[in-house]
Every structure is written in structure tokens, then in C-alpha cells.
Amino acid sequence: MIVIITGASHTGKTVLAQRMLEKYKYPYISIDHLKMGLIRSGNTHLTPEDDDELVGYLWPIVCEMIKTAIENKQNLIVEGCYIPYDWRKDFGDDYLSEIKFICLAMTDAYIDGYFDEIRNHGSDIENRLDDSECTIEWIKADNQKVIEGFRHMGEQIILIDYDYEKSITQILYEWGQQREFKKL
């Protein structure tokens, strides 16, 4: 089984992936790690700020990694924001049946009410060396872009609206239930 975790910046994608690793022992790959490895090694001229271009650059690699894991009947969590809105077009039904898609986003009301907390948790798993771009306006715009883009493609988005911890716990519970059902 492959779990794709994507969404807007600062929504807790990496936290969720880490909790799934700890609870279900599924390994995960951070697309950010792949991005930085390619950038730092000089294998691309792109920079960490080239978000739109990075989707096109990284997705073909990540897509083939997912296919390889499925073909080898391996479990894997793929976490990051570099997932194209139309990602499903790159997989046949036999692959799609082995992929669970999770997209996280926050409502404007949640961002308004918890912005300091959102920003303070930005480095819970990975150290953000420069988080100066993280403003309320930027976070809201990023969340709206993610919500609109994935909804336009018919994807379900998990909206964090009032209780972050409850939202993450619910995802873990539902994933565990689906996982157990699939074993039957």
C-alpha cells in the first residue's frame, strides 16, 4: 500500500507521515529530501523557491518510485507538496487501487485563530532554516491554491478547521481501519 500525503505548507504533512511510520511501521520518503538532494548535488538548476517547476521536475521521479514500490508489494508513505493536482492520470487502475491519497489544508478561520501556533510548529520534524516567508497572507494563499487545485480535480481534502490534533488522530484512526479491512 502506498500513502500519498500532500497539502499546503505548514499543515503537518511530515508530522502525519512520522506518526504513520511510528504506528504502522510504513517507511516514508520526504519529497523535500529528494528535492534538496538533487539541488545540493547540482543535478538541477532549480532552487527551493521554484515550487511550480519543482512539481514538474520531481513528480516523474516520485511517480516511478511509487510504481516500483507497488510492483514489489512494498508499503511506502510519500510525503510532500510536490504532487500535481492531476496525479491520478499517471497511474492505471491496478496502481490506483494500491494508493491512499491524503491532502491536508487549513481554513482561513483556523489560520486566523492559530497562526502563531502554526508557525511555532513549523520545525516539529524537520528544521526550517528560513521561515520568514510564513505570514498569515502567504499561508492563506497557499491553502486556497491547494484546496482549489485538488478540488478542481475531484480530490477530497481534509480541512483542518478547529482542532489540529483531532484531525490528525481521525486520519490515523481511519487509515488503521482501512488497513485492517484490506487485510480481510
Side-chain angles (χ1 to χ4, degrees):
M1 175 61 65
I2 305 300
V3 181
I4 296 174
I5 302 173
T6 194
S9 182
H10 288 74
T11 55
K13 298 178 296 292
T14 310
V15 169
L16 179 58
Q18 182 68 35
R19 289 191 187 172
M20 286 182 146
L21 165 77
E22 292 167 1
K23 186 166 184 153
Y24 301 112
K25 309 300 183 223
Y26 278 27
Y28 81 86
I29 181 166
S30 167
I31 302 173
D32 278 342
H33 291 173
L34 176 62
K35 168 190 77 175
M36 292 311 297
L38 290 164
I39 289 171
R40 288 180 173 174
S41 67
N43 281 293
T44 181
H45 67 281
L46 297 172
T47 70
E49 288 77 37
D50 296 326
D51 284 338
D52 291 337
E53 295 90 347
L54 282 163
V55 172
Y57 182 72
L58 295 169
W59 178 244
I61 299 165
V62 172
C63 180
E64 295 307 318
M65 291 170 68
I66 290 170
K67 288 177 182 176
T68 301
I70 291 170
E71 291 160 359
N72 287 290
K73 298 180 180 9
Q74 295 170 318
N75 299 317
L76 181 64
I77 299 165
V78 177
E79 172 272 319
C81 61
Y82 302 104
I83 308 292
Y85 302 130
D86 63 349
W87 68 273
R88 289 183 187 270
K89 73 173 177 35
D90 296 316
F91 299 99
D93 290 341
D94 51 334
Y95 289 111
L96 289 170
S97 68
E98 296 297 321
I99 299 172
K100 166 72 173 162
F101 179 77
I102 299 171
C103 181
L104 302 175
M106 298 177 284
T107 64
D108 283 354
Y110 183 83
I111 295 166
D112 285 335
Y114 296 95
F115 177 72
D116 288 339
E117 197 171 326
I118 292 165
R119 190 174 163 117
N120 289 339
H121 285 284
S123 292
D124 279 359
I125 304 293
E126 296 177 339
N127 188 20
R128 293 179 188 266
L129 298 178
D130 180 12
D131 209 14
S132 59
E133 70 197 20
C134 184
T135 64
I136 286 180
E137 296 77 20
W138 182 80
I139 290 282
K140 284 182 177 181
D142 190 46
N143 276 269
Q144 279 308 115
K145 181 179 174 185
V146 166
I147 292 167
E148 290 169 11
F150 281 113
R151 276 206 177 137
H152 179 73
M153 297 308 296
E155 297 292 351
Q156 188 174 29
I157 291 105
I158 297 167
L159 283 177
I160 300 165
D161 191 25
Y162 65 95
D163 186 336
Y164 175 82
E165 194 57 42
K166 185 176 180 180
S167 297
I168 297 301
T169 302
Q170 183 67 28
I171 294 166
L172 288 169
Y173 173 76
E174 290 173 6
W175 164 243
Q177 295 296 100
Q178 289 175 355
R179 200 171 148 254
E180 291 302 315
F181 179 75
K182 192 161 182 143
K183 286 181 183 177
L184 298 176

